[in-house]
Amino acid sequence: MGIRRLSNPFSYWGYGIYNDIKSRLPYYKSDFADAFNYRVVPSTTFVFFTNLLPAIAFAQDMFDKTNSAYGVNEVLLSTAIAGVVFGLFSGQPLCIVGVTGPVSIFSYTVYELIQPRGTPYFPFMCWIYLWSMVFHIIIAVGNYIAFLKIISKFSCEVFGFFICIVYIQKGIQILGRQFDAVDLASGYCSVMISLLMVICGVGSFLFGSYLHYFKHWTRKFFVDYGVPLAVVFFTGFIHFGGKLDKTELARLPITKSFQPTYAGSDRSHGWFVHFWPGENIAVADVFLALPFAVLLTFLFYFDHNVSSLMCQSSDYPLTKPSSFHWDFALLGITTGVAGIIGIPAPNGLIPQAPLHTDSLLVHNKHGKVVSVVEQRVTNTAQGLITFVMMTRPFLVVLGLIPQAVLAGLFFVMGLTGLHGNPITNKIRYLFLDSEYVESDPTCPRMFKDIHNIKNKKWFYIYLLLQVIAGLSEFAITCTKGAVGFPGVLMFFAICSKWVWPWIIPKEELEHLDGEVADELIIRNLNIVQIVKESKKHWVDEEKGNYDDINAEEHEMVQIRESESS
C-alpha cells in the first residue's frame, strides 16, 4: 500500500509549500525581534525611496500610454499592498515586490492591442490576472518551481541588460513628449533638467562607490540618498525664478486621494472591477485573456524568482531558510487581487531586492560583512509608508515633480544598471588596453579574469549570443508584439540550457555560464525530489527486509517438512 502511494504523482502536490511554511514558521517571531537593530531605520528609508521613485516613473509611463487608465494612485496602491503582504506573510521578506518595468510594458501593450477591438480594458486585465493566479497556484502546488534550475547566469545577465536599455528608452520617450505636450522651450528645458539629474544621480553613485574622499559612512550616504535628494532639488529648481518662470513644465499627473485615476464606463464602480462575463465582457474575450496570462505567468516566474534568488545570493551570510513555492503562490494571490481592484500586478523587483539585502548588511570594524539583519519590519514599513503617500498632502507633493525629473530618473537607473551589468563589462573589455589589464594593479578583477581566458573564441561567441538575446528582447518591445517579450525571454532561457552546449564546448561553457542559485537554494527547489529519493531508499530497505524474512520463513518451512518426513 505504501509503495502504491509513493508511485502516485499527485501524492506530493503542495509538499513544496508545506515545506516552505514548516521550515520558515519557527523563525516568524524572531523576524520581528531581530528588527531591533541600528540597520533597520536607514534600510527602511533607503528601500522606500528606491521603490517609490521608479514606481512613480512607471506610473507616468503607463498614464501616457493607457489613456490615463493607470496612474499614480494605482501604482502606489499596488506597491503598498505588495510591501505589506510580502513583509508579513512571505517566506522570504527580504525580497522587495512592486510594479516593475516589464509590467508597465505588458500593461500598455495589452491596452494598445485590445482597444481597436472595443474590449473593455479593466475587465480584460482582470481576467488576465485571474487566469495567471490559477497558473501561479498550479505551478506552486505542483512543485514546478523546481524548473527554475534551468535559469542560468546567461538569462539573468541578459534580462538585466534588457531592462537597463528599456529604462533609457523610457527617459527618451518622456523627453520627446515634452516638445509636443507644451512647447519648444519646455522641451529643451526638460532635456537640460534631465541631464543635470544624470550628472547628480550618476555622480553621487560614482563618488560613493569608487572614490575615497571622506569617511565610509559619508560615501555610503551619497550612494543611498544621492538620487532622492537630486529629485527633491530639481523639483524645487524649476521655482528658482528668472527665465524659468517663463517656461511651463509638465508635471506628474495626480488625482483624488485613494481614488482610481480613471472613471470611465468600464470602471464606474470605484476600485472594484465588474469582470463577470456577458454583462461586462464577452465570453470570447475571457478566453482570449488566456494566452496573455500564460506570458504574464512566465514573466513573473522568471522575474520574481530571480529577484528572490538575488536577494539571498551566496554572497550574503543568511541563516534563515529560503522560500520559493509558498512565495510564488502568494504572488499568484496578489496578482488575482490586483485584477479585481484594477491595479498593475506587483512582482519581484530587480535591483531593489538585492539592494534591500545590501542595506541590511552588518560590517565589523575592518569593513568585513559579518551578518545580515533578516527581519520583516523594513519591507512592511516601506509598504505602510507608501499607503501614506496616497493621502492628499503627499499626493500634492508628488504632483510637483516635473516629468523631466522622471526622465532623468530613468536615465540614472539605466546608466548605473548598465555600469554594473556583466554584459556591459564584457563589451568594455573589448576596448581596453591590454597593457593596462596585464600590468596595472588598479585594473578591476573582472577584466583580468576575462583576459586570462586562454581561448577567447568561445568568450566572443558567448558575448555575441548575450547581445543578440538582449537586443531581441528590446526589439520586440518596440513593436505591437511587445506583449510577447516574455516568450523571447523563455526562448533564450531554453537555448542557454540545451542549445548553447551544442555550440560551445561544455568545459568552456561551464566557465562562461553557471548556476544562479547556491547549493542551499537548490536543495529548497529540489525538496520534493530529495524526499522521493529518501522514501524510495527507505522502501527499498523495507522491501529487502521483507524478502529476507520471507526467505527465512521459507527455509524454516522446508526444515519442518524435512523433520516431519
Side-chain angles (χ1 to χ4, degrees):
M1 180 179 177
I3 297 175
R4 279 200 306 271
R5 187 173 67 252
L6 286 172
S7 64
N8 182 1
F10 298 104
S11 61
Y12 291 96
W13 273 49
Y15 189 86
I17 295 177
Y18 165 76
N19 180 72
D20 285 347
I21 296 175
K22 179 184 176 183
S23 61
R24 188 72 199 204
L25 197 57
Y27 295 91
Y28 196 80
K29 184 177 180 181
S30 68
D31 284 339
F32 292 96
D34 293 345
F36 289 95
N37 186 285
Y38 76 99
R39 289 301 312 157
V40 168
V41 172
S43 175
T44 302
T45 307
F46 171 70
V47 171
F48 168 70
F49 281 112
T50 56
N51 206 1
L52 174 70
L53 296 180
I56 60 176
F58 295 137
Q60 177 69 62
D61 189 43
M62 287 190 285
F63 183 87
D64 291 336
K65 295 187 176 182
T66 61
N67 194 26
S68 311
Y70 287 139
V72 174
N73 282 2
E74 284 77 11
V75 172
L76 289 178
L77 184 59
S78 179
T79 303
I81 290 174
V84 174
V85 169
F86 276 82
L88 293 177
F89 303 113
S90 71
Q92 184 46 271
L94 293 179
C95 185
I96 300 298
V97 181
V99 178
T100 64
V103 169
S104 171
I105 295 171
F106 184 88
S107 300
Y108 68 67
T109 307
V110 171
Y111 181 86
E112 292 171 354
L113 289 174
I114 68 166
Q115 281 302 106
R117 300 182 73 255
T119 303
Y121 181 63
F122 285 104
F124 189 75
M125 286 299 295
C126 182
W127 276 105
I128 291 177
Y129 287 164
L130 290 175
W131 284 122
S132 184
M133 176 182 69
V134 173
F135 296 148
H136 275 71
I137 293 173
I138 290 173
I139 290 171
V141 173
N143 306 306
Y144 300 122
I145 297 293
F147 290 114
L148 186 64
K149 292 178 294 183
I150 75 167
I151 305 299
S152 66
K153 289 181 180 178
F154 177 94
S155 301
C156 294
E157 292 172 3
V158 166
F159 188 69
F161 185 67
F162 156 70
I163 290 298
C164 293
I165 295 175
V166 168
Y167 284 165
I168 295 173
Q169 179 201 32
K170 297 298 178 192
I172 294 172
Q173 288 175 343
I174 290 177
L175 289 180
R177 285 193 289 269
Q178 304 312 302
F179 290 90
D180 299 325
V182 189
D183 55 26
L184 197 63
S186 175
Y188 282 115
C189 185
S190 297
V191 171
M192 180 200 70
I193 291 174
S194 67
L195 292 178
L196 290 173
M197 265 288 296
V198 171
I199 293 172
C200 292
V202 176
S204 63
F205 169 75
L206 295 177
F207 176 83
S209 302
Y210 295 95
L211 301 182
H212 300 282
Y213 298 102
F214 307 111
K215 295 291 185 181
H216 172 74
W217 66 267
T218 308
R219 300 195 302 271
K220 179 70 172 167
F221 179 85
F222 275 91
V223 173
D224 291 349
Y225 302 108
V227 174
L229 289 175
V231 171
V232 172
F233 176 80
F234 286 105
T235 298
F237 174 77
I238 63 174
H239 302 288
F240 281 8
K243 293 186 178 180
L244 284 173
D245 286 341
K246 301 177 183 178
T247 306
E248 181 184 354
L249 293 171
R251 302 179 188 181
L252 179 70
I254 60 171
T255 51
K256 295 180 180 178
S257 304
F258 298 102
Q259 294 295 319
T261 302
Y262 181 77
S265 58
D266 57 341
R267 188 155 199 174
S268 57
H269 302 281
W271 287 112
F272 181 64
V273 175
H274 285 202
F275 59 90
W276 38 93
E279 182 181 345
N280 304 280
I281 185 173
V283 176
D285 288 332
V286 171
F287 291 96
L288 179 63
L290 259 173
F292 292 92
V294 171
L295 291 170
L296 182 70
T297 302
F298 177 76
L299 172 64
F300 282 10
Y301 184 91
F302 181 91
D303 205 359
H304 182 81
N305 287 313
V306 169
S307 299
S308 187
L309 283 171
M310 292 177 70
C311 75
Q312 49 190 324
S313 163
S314 56
D315 296 334
Y316 304 122
L318 302 177
T319 59
K320 296 180 181 180
S322 58
S323 171
F324 288 91
H325 307 83
W326 163 241
D327 284 9
F328 198 67
L330 186 63
L331 184 70
I333 295 171
T334 57
T335 300
V337 171
I340 293 173
I341 62 178
I343 60 176
N347 75 305
L349 289 166
I350 302 173
Q352 286 90 330
L355 287 176
H356 181 212
T357 309
D358 282 334
S359 69
L360 292 166
L361 296 177
V362 177
H363 301 79
N364 61 18
K365 62 180 181 180
H366 303 294
K368 182 180 179 181
V369 176
V370 293
S371 64
V372 179
V373 185
E374 299 179 64
Q375 39 68 52
R376 297 179 178 274
V377 171
T378 50
N379 203 348
T380 307
Q382 66 89 18
L384 292 173
I385 297 172
T386 306
F387 272 122
V388 176
M389 296 302 296
M390 293 182 69
T391 59
R392 189 62 189 172
F394 288 102
L395 272 182
V396 171
V397 171
L398 291 179
L400 297 175
I401 300 176
Q403 293 184 19
V405 170
L406 299 180
L409 184 60
F410 272 125
F411 290 144
V412 171
M413 291 190 297
L415 292 173
T416 54
L418 282 176
H419 176 74
N421 185 269
I423 297 177
T424 311
N425 289 327
K426 292 170 190 173
I427 296 173
R428 288 169 62 191
Y429 168 78
L430 302 179
F431 301 94
L432 287 178
D433 182 359
S434 59
E435 292 184 5
Y436 163 73
V437 179
E438 292 171 359
S439 57
D440 196 323
T442 62
C443 177
R445 180 72 185 178
M446 56 188 167
F447 297 129
K448 291 183 178 292
D449 290 339
I450 296 173
H451 194 71
N452 290 332
I453 298 175
K454 293 181 180 179
N455 188 354
K456 291 189 176 60
K457 168 188 172 182
W458 303 115
F459 163 75
Y460 296 135
I461 292 175
Y462 182 79
L463 176 58
L464 179 62
L465 291 172
Q466 286 193 305
V467 172
I468 291 173
L471 294 181
S472 297
E473 290 181 25
F474 174 71
I476 194 173
T477 62
C478 298
T479 68
K480 286 286 187 181
V483 72
F485 81 90
V488 179
L489 183 65
M490 178 169 58
F491 171 77
F492 282 106
I494 293 171
C495 286
S496 67
K497 182 68 175 180
W498 289 292
V499 178
W500 299 166
W502 290 89
I503 301 174
I504 302 174
K506 184 178 179 181
E507 60 276 8
E508 296 289 343
L509 192 59
E510 287 177 352
H511 180 74
L512 295 169
D513 201 2
E515 301 288 343
V516 179
D518 61 17
E519 186 177 348
L520 186 64
I521 292 174
I522 290 292
R523 180 176 175 81
N524 178 277
L525 296 175
N526 280 344
I527 187 64
V528 173
Q529 187 63 33
I530 293 171
V531 171
K532 284 182 179 180
E533 290 176 357
S534 63
K535 286 192 174 183
K536 183 177 182 299
H537 179 69
W538 174 81
V539 169
D540 290 342
E541 286 185 349
E542 289 294 315
K543 185 178 179 182
N545 292 336
Y546 288 142
D547 290 342
D548 291 341
I549 293 171
N550 290 335
E552 290 177 4
E553 290 179 348
H554 181 68
E555 186 178 352
M556 289 295 295
V557 169
Q558 287 182 330
I559 292 172
R560 287 173 184 170
E561 288 178 352
S562 62
E563 287 178 351
S564 62
S565 61

